Amino acid sequence: MKITFMGAAKTVTGSCYIIETENARFAVDCGLHQGNAEIEKRNKGIADYDPKKLDFILITHAHIDHTGLLPAAVRAGFDGPIYMTTPTRDLLDIMLLDSAYIQEMEAEWSNRKRLRKGQPPLKPIYEQEDAIKTVPLMRTIQYGASFDPAEGVTVNFKDAGHILGSAFIELWIKEAGETTKIVFSGDLGHKDQLIVRNPSIIEKADYLLMESTYGDRNHKDSSNSLDELAQAIAYSYERGGKVVIPAFAVERSQQLIYTLYLLYKDGRLPADMPVYLDSPLAIKATEIFRNHPEFFDLDTKELMHNGDDPLSLPNLKFTLSTEESQAINNTSGPAIVISASGMANAGRIKHHLRHNIWRKESSVVFVGYQGVGTPGRRLVNGADNISIFGEKLTVEAKIFTINGFSGHAGQDEMIDWLKHFDSPAMKVILTHGEPKGQKVLAGLIKQELGYKVHIADYREELMLVPGGEIQPVVKSRVAVTEPEIDWEFLLKDSEKLFSEFRGRLDKVKAQSFLSQTELRDRLLEINRQVVELISEL
């Protein structure tokens, strides 16, 4: 069989793997590419997926980086079944509409600028109508209920412990009388996180495609995370400021409410400090969580059995409308604001950061992975200022980074999960991670477990041979889709510009002291950005 990596290859978004067997052509996940402008250009290439020729799609979980291009595939002609768990189906019913609305609004915003420049308008990647057409194609599957979506293809979903309804997928492909087993980990869950169960165990596979988001590090334990969140709350409460928490609408927001509930029960959440869940999607997702207690872990079930509600607080306020959201920043005094998106690159959270990032009494708490090129990543890395809605703002708020809330397995947890496999000849293919972390994890897997490891590349094509080696169909098609960057030219150009600036120092020194200080500050900002680039290498 052949597999093509259409996303989540040396990146953490856009998960999509297209498998071609002698009897079927199908995809595992169909996610939105998120990050910088170059990464997001990939969302416009849905024709390269050839959706009309896909027989079916398997979905690991509801997060948009695994599902966000489904309406685009439907728009391009896909009309087959989409298989997933019941909670995933319910979450996608609201998430895809929300994503479509964002695509429409972003296109409208861009077209206003384009029309003023006399440029033709752009169409959104997809619209709400496409999301609505996607929903009837969804089919729900229970954990452990094997089924055959095509001749020679058997599928089994097992609990991945990442978010409500998340799954890793077992695939048995029969070709020419031989059967090959492939496992797609999806996003593997962090052990002992709130609400969801721990990941299921698996022992046999010929090929394992495994995520590697935290391949080079581990998470702090949950008790530390609870203490760190309490510290952030105390910091702003004592100063009369707001605690701003960028959080993904699904799972992370619900975990935060649960955590605040634990702090409340422990007397560490001030009784007069309002908590705002400022995300219509998160509010709707919380209700879906309530509708599926059968997927909760034992601790959460026991709490609910005893009459407690870990998804509620006496001072919790839901803000559905734009007016209610805007009113939060017009109120004085301390408050906790949970809003999307989790990487601070879209949605209402940008407005809350704009109103609070420059205030010394405020705090910003990051509780999840921050992708390269996102505002969240820049703030976590210590940026002195940040641009929001075209306005450059000084960072005076205290920045907290709490890793224990992650829904992804840390390095040790991935290795422990791998240790349950009893398949000495298994080949491991790492996906959904950044190159630095993947290299570290690959070395650890080889050293501790002895498995051969391959790190997938974007649009790479591999033949998976029963009991044999991985055989590249082509070395890589990256050169076609991602032209090599001429770094030598860029650096020479930068050196030339700095030399030109040095040659004009007499003119600089002839200006007023105030003008010189402004030029100095701008040059210091450029140098700071270069230092930040170097630190990420």
Side-chain angles (χ1 to χ4, degrees):
M1 85 202 72
K2 185 174 80 171
I3 181 168
T4 304
F5 299 86
M6 295 302 295
K10 297 183 179 177
T11 63
V12 294
T13 66
S15 289
C16 183
Y17 318 108
I18 294 177
I19 297 94
E20 298 175 60
T21 75
E22 62 183 26
N23 296 309
R25 183 178 186 270
F26 61 95
V28 174
D29 286 340
C30 191
L32 197 71
H33 301 271
Q34 300 165 306
N36 63 30
E38 285 300 317
I39 291 291
E40 292 188 357
K41 282 181 182 177
R42 297 175 181 177
N43 292 319
K44 299 177 181 178
I46 193 66
D48 296 338
Y49 295 58
D50 207 355
K52 288 183 179 179
K53 294 183 180 179
L54 289 173
D55 297 306
F56 59 91
I57 299 175
L58 307 173
I59 296 296
T60 60
H61 64 285
H63 278 152
I64 288 297
D65 63 323
H66 291 256
T67 62
L69 282 184
L70 284 172
V74 171
R75 186 175 190 167
F78 173 76
D79 61 0
I82 308 170
Y83 298 101
M84 63 196 70
T85 65
T86 301
T88 299
R89 189 259 180 232
D90 291 351
L91 288 168
L92 284 185
D93 201 7
I94 59 172
M95 293 177 71
L96 293 182
L97 272 174
D98 181 77
S99 178
Y101 174 76
I102 292 171
Q103 304 308 321
E104 291 176 0
M105 291 303 101
E106 288 183 350
E108 181 181 331
W109 181 77
S110 296
N111 286 336
R112 287 176 187 171
K113 296 170 65 176
R114 292 178 65 84
L115 290 171
R116 288 196 295 267
K117 295 178 181 179
Q119 298 173 334
L122 298 174
K123 291 183 178 181
I125 302 167
Y126 53 85
E127 298 170 313
Q128 294 180 68
E129 181 183 352
D130 303 306
I132 292 170
K133 290 179 179 177
T134 304
V135 174
L137 302 178
M138 298 179 186
R139 306 286 185 270
T140 57
I141 301 296
Q142 294 181 349
Y143 290 138
S146 296
F147 65 103
D148 300 328
E151 183 183 350
V153 180
T154 300
V155 179
N156 187 40
F157 283 50
K158 299 188 78 170
D159 196 339
H162 174 58
I163 69 170
L164 194 76
S166 64
F168 63 80
I169 297 175
E170 296 178 285
L171 270 178
W172 290 267
I173 307 294
K174 188 173 183 179
E175 293 181 303
E178 293 189 77
T179 299
T180 303
K181 183 180 180 182
I182 313 171
V183 173
F184 292 82
S185 77
D187 285 353
L188 197 62
H190 176 30
K191 191 177 179 181
D192 295 332
Q193 64 174 314
L194 298 174
I195 303 176
V196 297
R197 298 184 286 253
N198 287 338
S200 298
I201 298 305
I202 190 168
E203 297 179 343
K204 298 291 183 181
D206 296 304
Y207 297 94
L208 169 64
L209 277 78
M210 192 174 83
E211 71 122 314
S212 49
T213 310
Y214 286 93
D216 58 349
R217 56 199 184 279
N218 290 305
H219 303 306
K220 299 175 184 177
D221 64 45
S222 57
S223 62
N224 286 340
S225 299
L226 204 67
D227 293 340
E228 288 173 348
L229 182 57
Q231 290 169 16
I233 292 169
Y235 174 89
S236 287
Y237 182 77
E238 292 165 2
R239 293 164 176 78
K242 290 184 172 61
V243 182
V244 179
I245 310 179
F248 294 111
V250 176
E251 194 71 31
R252 197 60 42 82
S253 291
Q254 291 73 37
Q255 285 181 332
L256 280 165
I257 295 171
Y258 197 137
T259 303
L260 292 170
Y261 162 84
L262 295 175
L263 290 177
Y264 164 74
K265 295 286 284 186
D266 201 28
R268 291 195 283 172
L269 178 65
D272 60 342
M273 193 174 191
V275 178
Y276 295 97
L277 183 58
D278 186 34
S279 165
L281 183 61
I283 294 167
K284 294 174 185 175
T286 302
E287 287 307 307
I288 290 173
F289 272 60
R290 291 180 183 281
N291 293 337
H292 289 290
E294 70 274 19
F295 288 88
F296 293 173
D297 63 10
L298 291 176
D299 290 341
T300 307
K301 287 180 178 178
E302 185 175 349
L303 275 174
M304 298 181 75
H305 179 73
N306 293 333
D308 289 323
D309 184 358
L311 294 177
S312 183
L313 290 164
N315 48 355
L316 179 62
K317 304 177 186 297
F318 294 141
T319 52
L320 279 166
S321 71
T322 301
E323 292 75 21
E324 290 173 317
S325 175
Q326 292 170 342
I328 296 172
N329 291 310
N330 295 328
T331 59
S332 59
I336 298 169
V337 184
I338 304 168
S339 189
S341 73
M343 295 186 190
N345 59 339
R348 293 181 178 182
I349 192 64
K350 294 175 69 175
H351 294 277
H352 297 300
L353 288 173
R354 180 170 173 251
H355 281 273
N356 291 281
I357 197 72
W358 50 273
R359 299 179 187 270
K360 291 184 178 180
E361 68 270 23
S362 297
S363 56
V364 181
V365 183
F366 289 98
V367 292
Y369 188 83
Q370 303 301 309
V372 172
T374 62
R377 183 66 162 259
R378 290 194 288 275
L379 288 170
V380 166
N381 284 346
D384 296 322
N385 53 68
I386 191 165
S387 180
I388 300 176
F389 297 122
E391 183 179 0
K392 189 176 180 180
L393 302 170
T394 300
V395 178
E396 293 287 354
K398 188 171 180 64
I399 307 298
F400 291 83
T401 303
I402 306 178
N403 292 324
F405 285 103
S406 176
H408 290 266
Q411 183 191 78
D412 286 350
E413 291 170 320
M414 284 187 274
I415 293 296
D416 288 343
W417 188 71
L418 271 169
K419 285 179 179 177
H420 289 93
F421 280 87
D422 183 22
S423 299
M426 181 176 72
K427 312 300 185 303
V428 178
I429 301 173
L430 294 183
T431 63
H432 203 286
E434 293 177 7
K436 181 183 174 184
Q438 289 182 314
K439 288 178 183 177
V440 173
L441 183 61
L444 200 59
I445 292 171
K446 291 174 187 175
Q447 177 184 334
E448 291 200 12
L449 304 175
Y451 291 122
K452 291 184 178 180
V453 183
H454 177 79
I455 299 175
D457 223 330
Y458 177 52
R459 296 182 67 106
E460 184 176 19
E461 299 178 358
L462 298 175
M463 291 297 294
L464 304 185
V465 182
E469 297 295 326
I470 296 172
Q471 298 178 358
V473 176
V474 290
K475 270 193 174 180
S476 174
R477 281 162 44 184
V478 174
V480 177
T481 58
E482 297 178 351
E484 185 178 345
I485 296 171
D486 193 340
W487 289 107
E488 286 298 326
F489 174 81
L490 284 174
L491 290 173
K492 285 179 181 178
D493 195 43
S494 299
E495 290 163 1
K496 181 180 176 181
L497 291 171
F498 273 97
S499 179
E500 179 72 21
F501 187 86
R502 179 181 292 279
R504 300 190 185 194
L505 277 182
D506 288 343
K507 292 183 179 180
V508 172
K509 292 176 180 178
Q511 296 189 36
S512 69
F513 175 73
L514 184 59
S515 295
Q516 286 190 56
T517 57
E518 289 177 354
L519 288 169
R520 178 202 63 193
D521 290 347
R522 288 165 67 184
L523 188 57
L524 284 171
E525 171 61 16
I526 293 170
N527 289 344
R528 188 199 64 76
Q529 291 180 12
V530 173
V531 170
E532 188 175 311
L533 285 173
I534 293 170
S535 70
E536 292 180 2
L537 298 177

